[in-house]
């Protein structure tokens, strides 16, 4: 049996195990320690953030961000609709309500014009949201500048969910470093991983030290255990921070490898009728964390699901593009501004195997199986 070709798997470099060994050697097997401090500093340097707090997941980082901004019961929070549920779940944890916003075609991310219209309307009604959560999807930055300036006009803090966009740029800078708070994920399928982990960044050092405080059970400065606020157990293990330090050293290589995957797919599958790749917006450099495309079933001769199933039969894992959150049963009662573009991307969009550890042979197999779906349908006409 041939080995399955998966969507995105961990890819360790040469230093991760050495850092982990150092944690064992010094017995720093704790949710604090020298690797955590160094990981935060090295992360800030690499992406140009002011301050960072390493936490147990990207979801935890989003939860802390909302809490730090003061989102609470009864508040509305505007949020990209085309994303993973982890973006919006913490809005619910805070007792607030997400209002979803559709994508644009240029970046597949939040449409600044829709945000503008929606905020102007909410302003007239005196019902502005408490925060905007902006997602940078599949390794591509959203169009941050107009979104940030709209948010600033209404005095609404911007939280950037850059879980999928570490290593990308927007006008030369890292997405995640523009808003009041940015978050990243080191889950196993992300561009670099600590097996599980996340980072919260902000230019405001007080926000980040408050994040560390809340992430370690909100313990007051006292010799005994004293608590004046409800906190969480959200800090990253020093062992896992060691993995993160190793992974930071290879981030550039991982980005290059994923972009190479895209180039190879695009130069082959891009020639097939009805296949269109996720565009790279002119304002930045995408990492192609996942290579995504849309299918025009009439032109191609098969639809997205037929392709996905045909590849699955060859042990090749692909995934539909994120199901928009406004279509999710759990968010059925939430408002959505627009939605047709995200719905179309979901209906016709497919993510191809995109790991930085894929071999040319793996890519070749994917291309062959994908092309065969087209060839077979053509022959059956
Ligand atoms: C992965 C991901 C998250 C959540 O990160 P975890 O570390 O898995 O909690 C949040 N938002 C997006 C867009 C993601 O892809």
């Amino acid at each position: 049996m041939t080995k399955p070709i998966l969507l995105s798997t961990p890819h360790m470099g040469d230093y991760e195990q050495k850092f982990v060994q150092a944690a064992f050697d010094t017995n720093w097997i704790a949710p604090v320690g020298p690797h955590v401090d160094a990981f935060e500093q090295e992360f800030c340097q690499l992406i140009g953030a002011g301050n960072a707090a390493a936490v147990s997941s990207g979801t935890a980082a989003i939860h802390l961000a909302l809490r730090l901004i003061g989102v609470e019961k009864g508040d509305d929070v505007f949020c990209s609709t085309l994303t993973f549920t982890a973006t919006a779940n913490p809005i619910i944890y805070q007792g607030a309500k997400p209002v979803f916003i559709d994508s644009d075609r240029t970046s597949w991310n939040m449409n600044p014009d829709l945000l503008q219209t929606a905020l102007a309307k909410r302003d007239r009604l005196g019902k502005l949201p408490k925060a905007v959560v902006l997602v940078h999807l599949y390794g591509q930055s959203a169009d941050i500048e107009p979104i940030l300036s709209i948010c600033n006009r209404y005095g609404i803090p911007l939280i950037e969910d850059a879980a999928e966009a570490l290593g990308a740029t927007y006008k030369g800078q890292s997405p995640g470093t523009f808003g009041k708070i940015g978050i990243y994920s080191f889950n196993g399928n992300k561009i670099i991983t600590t097996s599980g982990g996340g980072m919260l960044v902000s230019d405001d050092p007080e926000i980040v030290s408050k994040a560390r405080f809340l992430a370690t059970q909100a313990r007051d400065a006292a010799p005994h255990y004293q608590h004046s606020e409800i906190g969480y157990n959200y800090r990253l293990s020093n062992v896992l921070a060691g993995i993160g330090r190793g992974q930071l050293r290879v981030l550039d290589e991982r980005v290059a490898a994923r972009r190479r995957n895209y180039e190879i797919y695009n130069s082959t599958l891009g020639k097939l009728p009805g296949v269109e790749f996720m565009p790279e917006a002119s304002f930045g450099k995408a990492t192609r964390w996942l290579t995504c495309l849309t299918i025009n079933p009439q032109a191609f001769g098969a639809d997205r699901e037929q392709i996905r199933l045909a590849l699955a039969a060859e042990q090749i894992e692909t995934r539909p593009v994120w199901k928009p959150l406004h279509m999710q049963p759990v968010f059925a009662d939430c408002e959505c501004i627009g939605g047709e573009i995200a719905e179309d991307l979901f209906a016709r969009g497919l993510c191809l195997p995109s790991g930085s550890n894929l071999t040319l042979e793996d890519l070749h197999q994917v291309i062959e199986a994908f092309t065969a779906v087209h060839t077979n349908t053509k022959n059956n006409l």
Side-chain angles (χ1 to χ4, degrees), residues 56-62 82-88 135-138 161-164 183-190 196-198 289 322:
S56 53
S57 71
T59 312
I62 298 170
L82 189 65
T83 183
F84 181 42
T85 190
T87 306
V135 180
H136 306 295
L137 214 59
Y138 295 127
D161 177 351
E164 300 180 4
I183 76 91
Y184 300 85
S185 165
F186 313 116
N187 193 17
N189 60 356
K190 298 298 186 332
W289 169 58
W322 294 121

PDB file of all heavy atoms in Angstrom, residues 56-62 82-88 135-138 161-164 183-190 196-198 289 322, ligand 1:
ATOM      1  N   SER A  56      -1.004  28.355  25.240  1.00  0.00           N
ATOM      2  CA  SER A  56      -1.194  26.937  24.938  1.00  0.00           C
ATOM      3  C   SER A  56      -1.846  26.675  23.585  1.00  0.00           C
ATOM      4  O   SER A  56      -1.792  25.566  23.080  1.00  0.00           O
ATOM      5  CB  SER A  56      -2.018  26.292  26.049  1.00  0.00           C
ATOM      6  OG  SER A  56      -3.219  27.027  26.246  1.00  0.00           O
ATOM      7  N   SER A  57      -2.485  27.695  22.990  1.00  0.00           N
ATOM      8  CA  SER A  57      -3.077  27.516  21.661  1.00  0.00           C
ATOM      9  C   SER A  57      -3.415  28.874  21.052  1.00  0.00           C
ATOM     10  O   SER A  57      -3.497  29.878  21.776  1.00  0.00           O
ATOM     11  CB  SER A  57      -4.354  26.660  21.738  1.00  0.00           C
ATOM     12  OG  SER A  57      -5.402  27.389  22.352  1.00  0.00           O
ATOM     13  N   GLY A  58      -3.668  28.867  19.766  1.00  0.00           N
ATOM     14  CA  GLY A  58      -4.144  30.078  19.106  1.00  0.00           C
ATOM     15  C   GLY A  58      -5.522  30.475  19.635  1.00  0.00           C
ATOM     16  O   GLY A  58      -5.830  31.652  19.788  1.00  0.00           O
ATOM     17  N   THR A  59      -6.343  29.477  19.909  1.00  0.00           N
ATOM     18  CA  THR A  59      -7.684  29.734  20.436  1.00  0.00           C
ATOM     19  C   THR A  59      -7.592  30.454  21.787  1.00  0.00           C
ATOM     20  O   THR A  59      -8.329  31.417  22.042  1.00  0.00           O
ATOM     21  CB  THR A  59      -8.451  28.403  20.616  1.00  0.00           C
ATOM     22  OG1 THR A  59      -8.317  27.633  19.417  1.00  0.00           O
ATOM     23  CG2 THR A  59      -9.914  28.633  20.905  1.00  0.00           C
ATOM     24  N   ALA A  60      -6.681  29.983  22.637  1.00  0.00           N
ATOM     25  CA  ALA A  60      -6.468  30.634  23.940  1.00  0.00           C
ATOM     26  C   ALA A  60      -6.036  32.083  23.734  1.00  0.00           C
ATOM     27  O   ALA A  60      -6.480  32.983  24.450  1.00  0.00           O
ATOM     28  CB  ALA A  60      -5.417  29.868  24.744  1.00  0.00           C
ATOM     29  N   ALA A  61      -5.179  32.317  22.744  1.00  0.00           N
ATOM     30  CA  ALA A  61      -4.703  33.677  22.469  1.00  0.00           C
ATOM     31  C   ALA A  61      -5.865  34.579  22.046  1.00  0.00           C
ATOM     32  O   ALA A  61      -5.956  35.733  22.478  1.00  0.00           O
ATOM     33  CB  ALA A  61      -3.618  33.647  21.395  1.00  0.00           C
ATOM     34  N   ILE A  62      -6.775  34.070  21.220  1.00  0.00           N
ATOM     35  CA  ILE A  62      -7.940  34.862  20.797  1.00  0.00           C
ATOM     36  C   ILE A  62      -8.832  35.145  22.001  1.00  0.00           C
ATOM     37  O   ILE A  62      -9.314  36.262  22.190  1.00  0.00           O
ATOM     38  CB  ILE A  62      -8.748  34.136  19.695  1.00  0.00           C
ATOM     39  CG1 ILE A  62      -7.881  33.932  18.452  1.00  0.00           C
ATOM     40  CG2 ILE A  62     -10.014  34.916  19.333  1.00  0.00           C
ATOM     41  CD1 ILE A  62      -8.515  33.017  17.404  1.00  0.00           C
ATOM     42  N   LEU A  82     -15.340  33.587   6.551  1.00  0.00           N
ATOM     43  CA  LEU A  82     -14.621  32.461   5.936  1.00  0.00           C
ATOM     44  C   LEU A  82     -13.403  32.145   6.794  1.00  0.00           C
ATOM     45  O   LEU A  82     -12.318  32.710   6.615  1.00  0.00           O
ATOM     46  CB  LEU A  82     -14.189  32.813   4.506  1.00  0.00           C
ATOM     47  CG  LEU A  82     -13.619  31.631   3.705  1.00  0.00           C
ATOM     48  CD1 LEU A  82     -14.674  30.566   3.451  1.00  0.00           C
ATOM     49  CD2 LEU A  82     -13.008  32.085   2.389  1.00  0.00           C
ATOM     50  N   THR A  83     -13.564  31.234   7.727  1.00  0.00           N
ATOM     51  CA  THR A  83     -12.478  30.879   8.639  1.00  0.00           C
ATOM     52  C   THR A  83     -12.839  29.623   9.407  1.00  0.00           C
ATOM     53  O   THR A  83     -13.934  29.075   9.266  1.00  0.00           O
ATOM     54  CB  THR A  83     -12.174  32.040   9.610  1.00  0.00           C
ATOM     55  OG1 THR A  83     -11.051  31.673  10.438  1.00  0.00           O
ATOM     56  CG2 THR A  83     -13.350  32.343  10.522  1.00  0.00           C
ATOM     57  N   PHE A  84     -11.905  29.187  10.218  1.00  0.00           N
ATOM     58  CA  PHE A  84     -12.067  28.063  11.119  1.00  0.00           C
ATOM     59  C   PHE A  84     -12.860  28.523  12.346  1.00  0.00           C
ATOM     60  O   PHE A  84     -12.733  29.672  12.769  1.00  0.00           O
ATOM     61  CB  PHE A  84     -10.666  27.582  11.517  1.00  0.00           C
ATOM     62  CG  PHE A  84     -10.614  26.406  12.439  1.00  0.00           C
ATOM     63  CD1 PHE A  84     -11.456  25.324  12.282  1.00  0.00           C
ATOM     64  CD2 PHE A  84      -9.670  26.374  13.463  1.00  0.00           C
ATOM     65  CE1 PHE A  84     -11.374  24.231  13.131  1.00  0.00           C
ATOM     66  CE2 PHE A  84      -9.586  25.287  14.312  1.00  0.00           C
ATOM     67  CZ  PHE A  84     -10.429  24.215  14.152  1.00  0.00           C
ATOM     68  N   THR A  85     -13.638  27.634  12.902  1.00  0.00           N
ATOM     69  CA  THR A  85     -14.516  27.992  14.025  1.00  0.00           C
ATOM     70  C   THR A  85     -13.753  28.545  15.235  1.00  0.00           C
ATOM     71  O   THR A  85     -14.312  29.302  16.033  1.00  0.00           O
ATOM     72  CB  THR A  85     -15.378  26.770  14.420  1.00  0.00           C
ATOM     73  OG1 THR A  85     -16.368  27.198  15.332  1.00  0.00           O
ATOM     74  CG2 THR A  85     -14.547  25.665  15.053  1.00  0.00           C
ATOM     75  N   ALA A  86     -12.479  28.193  15.354  1.00  0.00           N
ATOM     76  CA  ALA A  86     -11.677  28.674  16.495  1.00  0.00           C
ATOM     77  C   ALA A  86     -11.571  30.192  16.518  1.00  0.00           C
ATOM     78  O   ALA A  86     -11.340  30.777  17.573  1.00  0.00           O
ATOM     79  CB  ALA A  86     -10.277  28.065  16.460  1.00  0.00           C
ATOM     80  N   THR A  87     -11.737  30.845  15.361  1.00  0.00           N
ATOM     81  CA  THR A  87     -11.708  32.306  15.335  1.00  0.00           C
ATOM     82  C   THR A  87     -12.859  32.885  16.150  1.00  0.00           C
ATOM     83  O   THR A  87     -12.698  33.874  16.862  1.00  0.00           O
ATOM     84  CB  THR A  87     -11.825  32.819  13.877  1.00  0.00           C
ATOM     85  OG1 THR A  87     -10.815  32.220  13.082  1.00  0.00           O
ATOM     86  CG2 THR A  87     -11.688  34.332  13.818  1.00  0.00           C
ATOM     87  N   ALA A  88     -14.033  32.280  16.025  1.00  0.00           N
ATOM     88  CA  ALA A  88     -15.246  32.865  16.615  1.00  0.00           C
ATOM     89  C   ALA A  88     -15.647  32.236  17.948  1.00  0.00           C
ATOM     90  O   ALA A  88     -16.334  32.877  18.745  1.00  0.00           O
ATOM     91  CB  ALA A  88     -16.411  32.758  15.634  1.00  0.00           C
ATOM     92  N   VAL A 135      -9.299  37.880  10.005  1.00  0.00           N
ATOM     93  CA  VAL A 135      -8.543  36.653   9.749  1.00  0.00           C
ATOM     94  C   VAL A 135      -7.680  36.810   8.498  1.00  0.00           C
ATOM     95  O   VAL A 135      -8.117  37.398   7.505  1.00  0.00           O
ATOM     96  CB  VAL A 135      -9.498  35.463   9.573  1.00  0.00           C
ATOM     97  CG1 VAL A 135      -8.718  34.181   9.313  1.00  0.00           C
ATOM     98  CG2 VAL A 135     -10.377  35.302  10.802  1.00  0.00           C
ATOM     99  N   HIS A 136      -6.462  36.274   8.562  1.00  0.00           N
ATOM    100  CA  HIS A 136      -5.561  36.216   7.399  1.00  0.00           C
ATOM    101  C   HIS A 136      -5.491  34.745   6.984  1.00  0.00           C
ATOM    102  O   HIS A 136      -4.796  33.949   7.604  1.00  0.00           O
ATOM    103  CB  HIS A 136      -4.179  36.733   7.779  1.00  0.00           C
ATOM    104  CG  HIS A 136      -4.199  38.105   8.388  1.00  0.00           C
ATOM    105  ND1 HIS A 136      -4.599  39.212   7.680  1.00  0.00           N
ATOM    106  CD2 HIS A 136      -3.884  38.542   9.629  1.00  0.00           C
ATOM    107  CE1 HIS A 136      -4.500  40.283   8.461  1.00  0.00           C
ATOM    108  NE2 HIS A 136      -4.084  39.901   9.643  1.00  0.00           N
ATOM    109  N   LEU A 137      -6.237  34.419   5.948  1.00  0.00           N
ATOM    110  CA  LEU A 137      -6.532  33.021   5.636  1.00  0.00           C
ATOM    111  C   LEU A 137      -5.493  32.347   4.748  1.00  0.00           C
ATOM    112  O   LEU A 137      -5.016  32.957   3.792  1.00  0.00           O
ATOM    113  CB  LEU A 137      -7.878  33.001   4.917  1.00  0.00           C
ATOM    114  CG  LEU A 137      -8.787  31.812   5.151  1.00  0.00           C
ATOM    115  CD1 LEU A 137      -9.136  31.648   6.616  1.00  0.00           C
ATOM    116  CD2 LEU A 137     -10.057  31.971   4.333  1.00  0.00           C
ATOM    117  N   TYR A 138      -5.225  31.088   5.034  1.00  0.00           N
ATOM    118  CA  TYR A 138      -4.414  30.237   4.157  1.00  0.00           C
ATOM    119  C   TYR A 138      -3.036  30.829   3.829  1.00  0.00           C
ATOM    120  O   TYR A 138      -2.489  30.574   2.759  1.00  0.00           O
ATOM    121  CB  TYR A 138      -5.174  29.934   2.858  1.00  0.00           C
ATOM    122  CG  TYR A 138      -6.422  29.103   3.068  1.00  0.00           C
ATOM    123  CD1 TYR A 138      -7.659  29.511   2.577  1.00  0.00           C
ATOM    124  CD2 TYR A 138      -6.360  27.892   3.763  1.00  0.00           C
ATOM    125  CE1 TYR A 138      -8.802  28.748   2.772  1.00  0.00           C
ATOM    126  CE2 TYR A 138      -7.495  27.127   3.955  1.00  0.00           C
ATOM    127  CZ  TYR A 138      -8.707  27.552   3.459  1.00  0.00           C
ATOM    128  OH  TYR A 138      -9.832  26.784   3.648  1.00  0.00           O
ATOM    129  N   ASP A 161      -6.310  37.680  13.609  1.00  0.00           N
ATOM    130  CA  ASP A 161      -6.112  36.241  13.702  1.00  0.00           C
ATOM    131  C   ASP A 161      -5.169  35.838  12.569  1.00  0.00           C
ATOM    132  O   ASP A 161      -5.594  35.594  11.436  1.00  0.00           O
ATOM    133  CB  ASP A 161      -7.453  35.508  13.589  1.00  0.00           C
ATOM    134  CG  ASP A 161      -7.306  33.991  13.609  1.00  0.00           C
ATOM    135  OD1 ASP A 161      -6.162  33.499  13.532  1.00  0.00           O
ATOM    136  OD2 ASP A 161      -8.345  33.301  13.681  1.00  0.00           O
ATOM    137  N   ALA A 162      -3.866  35.793  12.914  1.00  0.00           N
ATOM    138  CA  ALA A 162      -2.845  35.437  11.923  1.00  0.00           C
ATOM    139  C   ALA A 162      -2.382  33.994  12.125  1.00  0.00           C
ATOM    140  O   ALA A 162      -1.252  33.648  11.791  1.00  0.00           O
ATOM    141  CB  ALA A 162      -1.675  36.417  12.014  1.00  0.00           C
ATOM    142  N   ALA A 163      -3.284  33.161  12.669  1.00  0.00           N
ATOM    143  CA  ALA A 163      -2.953  31.752  12.952  1.00  0.00           C
ATOM    144  C   ALA A 163      -2.400  31.042  11.720  1.00  0.00           C
ATOM    145  O   ALA A 163      -1.511  30.193  11.824  1.00  0.00           O
ATOM    146  CB  ALA A 163      -4.185  31.013  13.454  1.00  0.00           C
ATOM    147  N   GLU A 164      -2.920  31.413  10.542  1.00  0.00           N
ATOM    148  CA  GLU A 164      -2.511  30.728   9.307  1.00  0.00           C
ATOM    149  C   GLU A 164      -1.511  31.542   8.503  1.00  0.00           C
ATOM    150  O   GLU A 164      -1.158  31.160   7.386  1.00  0.00           O
ATOM    151  CB  GLU A 164      -3.760  30.463   8.434  1.00  0.00           C
ATOM    152  CG  GLU A 164      -4.794  29.603   9.136  1.00  0.00           C
ATOM    153  CD  GLU A 164      -6.029  29.338   8.279  1.00  0.00           C
ATOM    154  OE1 GLU A 164      -6.074  29.761   7.104  1.00  0.00           O
ATOM    155  OE2 GLU A 164      -6.966  28.697   8.794  1.00  0.00           O
ATOM    156  N   ILE A 183      -2.691  37.395  16.953  1.00  0.00           N
ATOM    157  CA  ILE A 183      -2.491  36.044  17.496  1.00  0.00           C
ATOM    158  C   ILE A 183      -1.969  35.114  16.407  1.00  0.00           C
ATOM    159  O   ILE A 183      -2.234  35.303  15.213  1.00  0.00           O
ATOM    160  CB  ILE A 183      -3.773  35.451  18.138  1.00  0.00           C
ATOM    161  CG1 ILE A 183      -4.780  34.973  17.083  1.00  0.00           C
ATOM    162  CG2 ILE A 183      -4.423  36.401  19.126  1.00  0.00           C
ATOM    163  CD1 ILE A 183      -4.607  33.519  16.700  1.00  0.00           C
ATOM    164  N   TYR A 184      -1.225  34.092  16.839  1.00  0.00           N
ATOM    165  CA  TYR A 184      -0.663  33.080  15.939  1.00  0.00           C
ATOM    166  C   TYR A 184      -0.912  31.703  16.555  1.00  0.00           C
ATOM    167  O   TYR A 184      -1.158  31.606  17.758  1.00  0.00           O
ATOM    168  CB  TYR A 184       0.846  33.296  15.773  1.00  0.00           C
ATOM    169  CG  TYR A 184       1.175  34.652  15.193  1.00  0.00           C
ATOM    170  CD1 TYR A 184       1.282  35.771  16.018  1.00  0.00           C
ATOM    171  CD2 TYR A 184       1.335  34.832  13.827  1.00  0.00           C
ATOM    172  CE1 TYR A 184       1.543  37.025  15.497  1.00  0.00           C
ATOM    173  CE2 TYR A 184       1.606  36.088  13.293  1.00  0.00           C
ATOM    174  CZ  TYR A 184       1.709  37.179  14.131  1.00  0.00           C
ATOM    175  OH  TYR A 184       1.961  38.416  13.617  1.00  0.00           O
ATOM    176  N   SER A 185      -0.847  30.681  15.725  1.00  0.00           N
ATOM    177  CA  SER A 185      -1.046  29.306  16.200  1.00  0.00           C
ATOM    178  C   SER A 185       0.136  28.434  15.803  1.00  0.00           C
ATOM    179  O   SER A 185       0.685  28.584  14.710  1.00  0.00           O
ATOM    180  CB  SER A 185      -2.330  28.726  15.595  1.00  0.00           C
ATOM    181  OG  SER A 185      -2.362  27.316  15.760  1.00  0.00           O
ATOM    182  N   PHE A 186       0.489  27.522  16.702  1.00  0.00           N
ATOM    183  CA  PHE A 186       1.524  26.516  16.395  1.00  0.00           C
ATOM    184  C   PHE A 186       0.917  25.123  16.502  1.00  0.00           C
ATOM    185  O   PHE A 186       1.547  24.186  17.003  1.00  0.00           O
ATOM    186  CB  PHE A 186       2.722  26.668  17.339  1.00  0.00           C
ATOM    187  CG  PHE A 186       3.197  28.088  17.477  1.00  0.00           C
ATOM    188  CD1 PHE A 186       3.119  28.746  18.694  1.00  0.00           C
ATOM    189  CD2 PHE A 186       3.694  28.766  16.374  1.00  0.00           C
ATOM    190  CE1 PHE A 186       3.539  30.067  18.822  1.00  0.00           C
ATOM    191  CE2 PHE A 186       4.119  30.093  16.491  1.00  0.00           C
ATOM    192  CZ  PHE A 186       4.040  30.743  17.715  1.00  0.00           C
ATOM    193  N   ASN A 187      -0.330  24.991  16.075  1.00  0.00           N
ATOM    194  CA  ASN A 187      -0.977  23.692  16.022  1.00  0.00           C
ATOM    195  C   ASN A 187      -0.228  22.809  15.015  1.00  0.00           C
ATOM    196  O   ASN A 187       0.524  23.314  14.185  1.00  0.00           O
ATOM    197  CB  ASN A 187      -2.448  23.891  15.613  1.00  0.00           C
ATOM    198  CG  ASN A 187      -3.266  22.640  15.829  1.00  0.00           C
ATOM    199  OD1 ASN A 187      -2.860  21.735  16.556  1.00  0.00           O
ATOM    200  ND2 ASN A 187      -4.420  22.579  15.200  1.00  0.00           N
ATOM    201  N   GLY A 188      -0.461  21.508  15.085  1.00  0.00           N
ATOM    202  CA  GLY A 188       0.315  20.554  14.289  1.00  0.00           C
ATOM    203  C   GLY A 188       0.251  20.745  12.789  1.00  0.00           C
ATOM    204  O   GLY A 188       1.171  20.341  12.073  1.00  0.00           O
ATOM    205  N   ASN A 189      -0.820  21.366  12.296  1.00  0.00           N
ATOM    206  CA  ASN A 189      -0.959  21.507  10.845  1.00  0.00           C
ATOM    207  C   ASN A 189      -0.493  22.882  10.344  1.00  0.00           C
ATOM    208  O   ASN A 189      -0.534  23.149   9.149  1.00  0.00           O
ATOM    209  CB  ASN A 189      -2.419  21.270  10.429  1.00  0.00           C
ATOM    210  CG  ASN A 189      -3.377  22.262  11.090  1.00  0.00           C
ATOM    211  OD1 ASN A 189      -2.972  23.071  11.914  1.00  0.00           O
ATOM    212  ND2 ASN A 189      -4.638  22.186  10.721  1.00  0.00           N
ATOM    213  N   LYS A 190      -0.057  23.761  11.228  1.00  0.00           N
ATOM    214  CA  LYS A 190       0.315  25.111  10.806  1.00  0.00           C
ATOM    215  C   LYS A 190       1.717  25.132  10.189  1.00  0.00           C
ATOM    216  O   LYS A 190       2.405  24.113  10.172  1.00  0.00           O
ATOM    217  CB  LYS A 190       0.200  26.076  11.997  1.00  0.00           C
ATOM    218  CG  LYS A 190      -1.229  26.186  12.557  1.00  0.00           C
ATOM    219  CD  LYS A 190      -2.183  26.726  11.526  1.00  0.00           C
ATOM    220  CE  LYS A 190      -3.597  27.032  11.918  1.00  0.00           C
ATOM    221  NZ  LYS A 190      -4.334  26.404  12.952  1.00  0.00           N
ATOM    222  N   GLY A 196       1.258  21.896  19.771  1.00  0.00           N
ATOM    223  CA  GLY A 196       0.111  22.719  20.128  1.00  0.00           C
ATOM    224  C   GLY A 196       0.664  23.949  20.806  1.00  0.00           C
ATOM    225  O   GLY A 196       1.584  23.838  21.620  1.00  0.00           O
ATOM    226  N   GLY A 197       0.132  25.103  20.456  1.00  0.00           N
ATOM    227  CA  GLY A 197       0.631  26.331  21.080  1.00  0.00           C
ATOM    228  C   GLY A 197       0.137  27.543  20.333  1.00  0.00           C
ATOM    229  O   GLY A 197      -0.471  27.420  19.265  1.00  0.00           O
ATOM    230  N   GLY A 198       0.370  28.695  20.926  1.00  0.00           N
ATOM    231  CA  GLY A 198      -0.046  29.938  20.281  1.00  0.00           C
ATOM    232  C   GLY A 198       0.757  31.106  20.809  1.00  0.00           C
ATOM    233  O   GLY A 198       1.534  30.957  21.761  1.00  0.00           O
ATOM    234  N   TRP A 289       0.398  28.737   2.791  1.00  0.00           N
ATOM    235  CA  TRP A 289       0.311  27.710   3.853  1.00  0.00           C
ATOM    236  C   TRP A 289      -0.446  26.488   3.316  1.00  0.00           C
ATOM    237  O   TRP A 289       0.013  25.360   3.433  1.00  0.00           O
ATOM    238  CB  TRP A 289      -0.396  28.272   5.090  1.00  0.00           C
ATOM    239  CG  TRP A 289      -0.740  27.209   6.070  1.00  0.00           C
ATOM    240  CD1 TRP A 289       0.134  26.341   6.680  1.00  0.00           C
ATOM    241  CD2 TRP A 289      -2.043  26.860   6.550  1.00  0.00           C
ATOM    242  NE1 TRP A 289      -0.561  25.481   7.512  1.00  0.00           N
ATOM    243  CE2 TRP A 289      -1.891  25.778   7.444  1.00  0.00           C
ATOM    244  CE3 TRP A 289      -3.329  27.359   6.318  1.00  0.00           C
ATOM    245  CZ2 TRP A 289      -2.971  25.184   8.099  1.00  0.00           C
ATOM    246  CZ3 TRP A 289      -4.396  26.771   6.970  1.00  0.00           C
ATOM    247  CH2 TRP A 289      -4.215  25.696   7.858  1.00  0.00           C
ATOM    248  N   TRP A 322     -12.708  26.274   3.969  1.00  0.00           N
ATOM    249  CA  TRP A 322     -13.496  26.436   5.201  1.00  0.00           C
ATOM    250  C   TRP A 322     -14.976  26.670   4.900  1.00  0.00           C
ATOM    251  O   TRP A 322     -15.310  27.507   4.066  1.00  0.00           O
ATOM    252  CB  TRP A 322     -13.021  27.634   6.025  1.00  0.00           C
ATOM    253  CG  TRP A 322     -11.639  27.528   6.593  1.00  0.00           C
ATOM    254  CD1 TRP A 322     -10.600  28.384   6.338  1.00  0.00           C
ATOM    255  CD2 TRP A 322     -11.129  26.549   7.508  1.00  0.00           C
ATOM    256  NE1 TRP A 322      -9.485  27.980   7.042  1.00  0.00           N
ATOM    257  CE2 TRP A 322      -9.779  26.858   7.766  1.00  0.00           C
ATOM    258  CE3 TRP A 322     -11.680  25.425   8.137  1.00  0.00           C
ATOM    259  CZ2 TRP A 322      -8.962  26.109   8.624  1.00  0.00           C
ATOM    260  CZ3 TRP A 322     -10.874  24.667   8.983  1.00  0.00           C
ATOM    261  CH2 TRP A 322      -9.543  25.012   9.216  1.00  0.00           C
TER     262      TRP A 322
HETATM  263  C1  LIG B   1      -5.666  27.026  13.658  1.00  0.00           C
HETATM  264  C2  LIG B   1      -6.458  28.245  13.702  1.00  0.00           C
HETATM  265  C3  LIG B   1      -6.875  28.813  14.918  1.00  0.00           C
HETATM  266  C4  LIG B   1      -6.719  28.136  16.241  1.00  0.00           C
HETATM  267  O1  LIG B   1      -5.434  27.843  16.635  1.00  0.00           O
HETATM  268  P1  LIG B   1      -5.196  26.612  17.630  1.00  0.00           P
HETATM  269  O2  LIG B   1      -3.751  26.766  17.986  1.00  0.00           O
HETATM  270  O3  LIG B   1      -5.488  25.354  16.888  1.00  0.00           O
HETATM  271  O4  LIG B   1      -6.083  26.812  18.806  1.00  0.00           O
HETATM  272  C5  LIG B   1      -7.543  30.011  14.887  1.00  0.00           C
HETATM  273  N1  LIG B   1      -7.822  30.624  13.724  1.00  0.00           N
HETATM  274  C6  LIG B   1      -7.463  30.097  12.546  1.00  0.00           C
HETATM  275  C7  LIG B   1      -7.789  30.856  11.299  1.00  0.00           C
HETATM  276  C8  LIG B   1      -6.791  28.889  12.489  1.00  0.00           C
HETATM  277  O5  LIG B   1      -6.488  28.350  11.301  1.00  0.00           O
END
